[in-house]
């Protein structure tokens, strides 16, 4: 059977098992839209801005592990999608983005809605393609899915000129066979010799720490991680991206590390003698000043991407391989070791950690007058019984969510860690809700971030997505205000968000429910009321203390042991 390029696109998506395409039409993709219209296997979700399409595809991917798919037109469609592509790239999220392009004969002529999409996206994709011949189209799309989902995942752009999807040009279609690429060979198992060396070092350690990142979740290795921690009894900390890989309430979990990490996690990092880094990339928000990073530690690093090894921090024992298989092998080797020379020291190490824990660094000053944002997250945890998919925007609310919501499982905490993209939360929640229609999906946001993709409330209405939005409304770009307070003598340059809309009315005007709460004693009942409306989107505008800051905090360029604690904890310490 012969089909057109536009039909090839749809068929290739079907072959890849795609359920949803998040998109926005335009001239260069009209043939593809026509082919979409004439089938019902692949469902198109019409967003209201292309940034929303990429974030929704990204949210879908983070919640499922499958590639998210976006479809946008050439020129402004493609440029609007770039933020979402870069967001996915920085967090290694599998995504295939199909972009329309002007017809091949006019490429380079500054044709209407022409941009060099391959050029613009080159630094923020795992790979990209420009398809110049319809006969290459199917294979290119198959390759795009293969590249996006294997090895270290990432977004792949396929740029498709309009003439390549011309309905009058028909070609035979070859179903997605196994893709083979000579120049791309993602790694498999880790080197057993390196794994044995690592285990020797780990079992001799007196002050070991396991430091895990998003790679454990992306590599589907959470079970193996939990088994390894149970077997060794080591303390474990996680990056922002790795939260949920290990249960947040378990006693071996020290909480998040890094700039807004816990006192105990950061102090343990500073004092450790053997660090086991798993699927983490030593980014600057985690390491602080490299010269002060884990000054006494020998470092083992497990990663699927060889280019991550010794990129920011020199490591002693690199293990390149799929995290899942490396951890399986590592556990086997650990179990074969009857001798655990570090065991006695490990008990002493736990006592030290418990002393740091005794600080209770996340304590905040409660109030019965104004809602503390930390209290809002704690209440959300209580009301949802720790069971939800939580997407976030970027700022203080994101950090409070990471600190105070204890994720029990992977793929539940969905946020832009690497790029830190305001506007991510709402469209990402749409992708998550479509992937898991029966689950509670909440977007935690704040008044500045939510305005960046607020138009997606219309998409939620159109497709009946009963997401809950919890807005920690402090009237400021809170995280910017915090930095200005600390580092610019409280000169709040343009961080006050003036002329805010009435969010209750905004939500209502899009056809949803809006609620506002500003009294601490009314918060829980308001949340329960919002969650009871199972089939409605509810935006809960929570008016919170505008002066609250995120603690602990490590100033950029400082070491893990140089944390600021909240003023009342510091005062307590001085008194003691
Ligand atoms: C698209 C984008 N622009 C600018 C920034 C820089 N930035 C980081 S946090 C922040 C403030 C966010 O304010 P808000 O959404 O109100 O959250 P809050 O910190 O108050 O919780 C800004 C402007 C960003 N991360 N993303």
């Amino acid at each position: 059977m012969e089909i057109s390029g536009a039909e090839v696109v749809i068929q290739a998506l079907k072959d890849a098992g795609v359920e949803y395409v998040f998109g926005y039409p335009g001239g260069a993709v009209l043939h593809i839209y026509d082919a979409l219209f004439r089938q019902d296997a692949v469902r198109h979700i019409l967003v209201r801005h292309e940034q929303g399409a990429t974030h929704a595809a990204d949210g879908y991917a983070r919640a499922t592990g499958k590639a998210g798919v976006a479809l946008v037109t050439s020129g402004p469609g493609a440029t609007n999608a770039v933020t979402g592509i870069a967001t996915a790239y920085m967090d290694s999220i599998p995504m295939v983005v199909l972009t329309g392009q002007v017809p091949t004969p006019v490429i380079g002529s500054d044709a209407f809605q022409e941009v060099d999409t391959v050029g613009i996206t080159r630094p923020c994709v795992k790979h990209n393609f420009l398809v110049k011949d319809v006969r290459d189209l199917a294979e290119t799309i198959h390759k795009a899915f293969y590249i996006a989902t294997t090895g270290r995942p990432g977004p792949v752009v396929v740029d498709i000129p309009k003439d390549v999807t011309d309905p009058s040009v028909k070609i035979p279609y070859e179903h997605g066979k196994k893709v083979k690429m000579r120049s791309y060979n993602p790694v498999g198992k880790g080197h057993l010799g390196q794994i044995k060396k690592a285990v020797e070092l780990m079992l001799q350690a007196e002050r070991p720490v396991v430091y895990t990142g998003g790679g454990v979740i992306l590599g589907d290795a959470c079970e193996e991680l939990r088994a390894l921690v149970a077997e060794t009894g080591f303390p474990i900390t996680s990056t922002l991206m790795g939260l949920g890989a290990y249960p947040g309430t378990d006693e071996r979990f020290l909480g998040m590390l890094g700039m807004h990490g816990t006192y105990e996690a950061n102090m343990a990092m500073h004092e450790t003698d053997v660090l086991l880094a798993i699927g983490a990339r030593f980014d600057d928000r985690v390491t602080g000043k490299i010269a002060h990073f884990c000054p006494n530690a020998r470092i083992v690093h497990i990663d699927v991407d060889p280019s991550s090894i010794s990129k920011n921090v020199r490591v002693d024992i690199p293990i390149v391989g799929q995290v899942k298989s490396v951890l399986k092998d590592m556990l086997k080797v650990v179990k074969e070791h009857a001798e655990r020379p570090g065991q006695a020291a490990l008990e002493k190490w736990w006592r030290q950690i418990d002393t740091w824990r005794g600080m209770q660094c996340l304590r905040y000053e409660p109030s019965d007058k104004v809602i503390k944002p930390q209290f809002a997250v704690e209440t959300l945890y209580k009301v949802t019984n720790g069971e939800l998919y939580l997407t976030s925007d970027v700022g203080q609310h994101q950090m409070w969510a990471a600190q105070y919501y204890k994720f029990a499982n992977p793929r539940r905490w969905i946020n832009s860690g690497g790029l830190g993209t305001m506007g991510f939360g709402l469209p990402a929640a749409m992708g998550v809700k479509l992937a898991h229609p029966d689950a509670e999906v909440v977007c935690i946001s704040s008044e500045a971030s939510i305005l960046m993709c607020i138009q997606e409330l219309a998409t939620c209405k159109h497709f009946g997505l009963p997401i809950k939005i919890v807005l920690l409304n402090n009237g400021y770009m809170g995280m910017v205000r915090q930095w200005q307070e600390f580092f610019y003598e409280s000169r709040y340059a343009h961080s006050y968000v003036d002329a805010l809309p009435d969010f209750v009315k905004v939500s209502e005007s899009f056809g949803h429910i809006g609620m506002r709460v500003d009294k601490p004693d009314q918060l829980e009942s308001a949340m329960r009321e919002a969650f009871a409306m199972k089939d409605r989107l509810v935006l809960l505008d929570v008016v919170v203390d505008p002066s609250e800051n995120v603690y602990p905090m490590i100033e950029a360029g400082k070491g893990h042991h140089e944390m600021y604690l909240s003023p009342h904890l510091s005062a307590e310490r001085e008194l003691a």
Side-chain angles (χ1 to χ4, degrees), residues 51 83 393-398 400 419-423 445-450 452 472-481 497:
Q51 181 180 351
T83 300
D393 271 307
V394 172
Q396 291 181 314
H397 62 277
Q398 177 190 27
W400 285 315
L419 199 67
T421 307
M422 291 167 70
S445 186
S446 190
E447 74 302 315
S449 286
I450 196 74
M452 288 217 175
L472 301 190
N473 188 343
N474 52 13
Y476 278 97
M477 297 174 199
M479 190 56 94
V480 173
R481 191 204 53 73
V497 194

Side-chain angles (χ1 to χ4, degrees), residues 278-312:
I278 311 175
R281 63 187 175 86
F282 297 85
D283 90 285
D284 57 283
R285 285 296 191 261
V286 160
T287 60
K289 193 179 169 81
I290 298 279
H292 295 171
F293 178 73
C294 297
N296 308 308
R298 304 199 58 202
I299 303 177
V300 178
H301 185 194
I302 304 169
D303 208 289
V304 73
D305 179 4
S307 76
S308 262
I309 302 289
S310 293
K311 180 176 172 174
N312 298 334

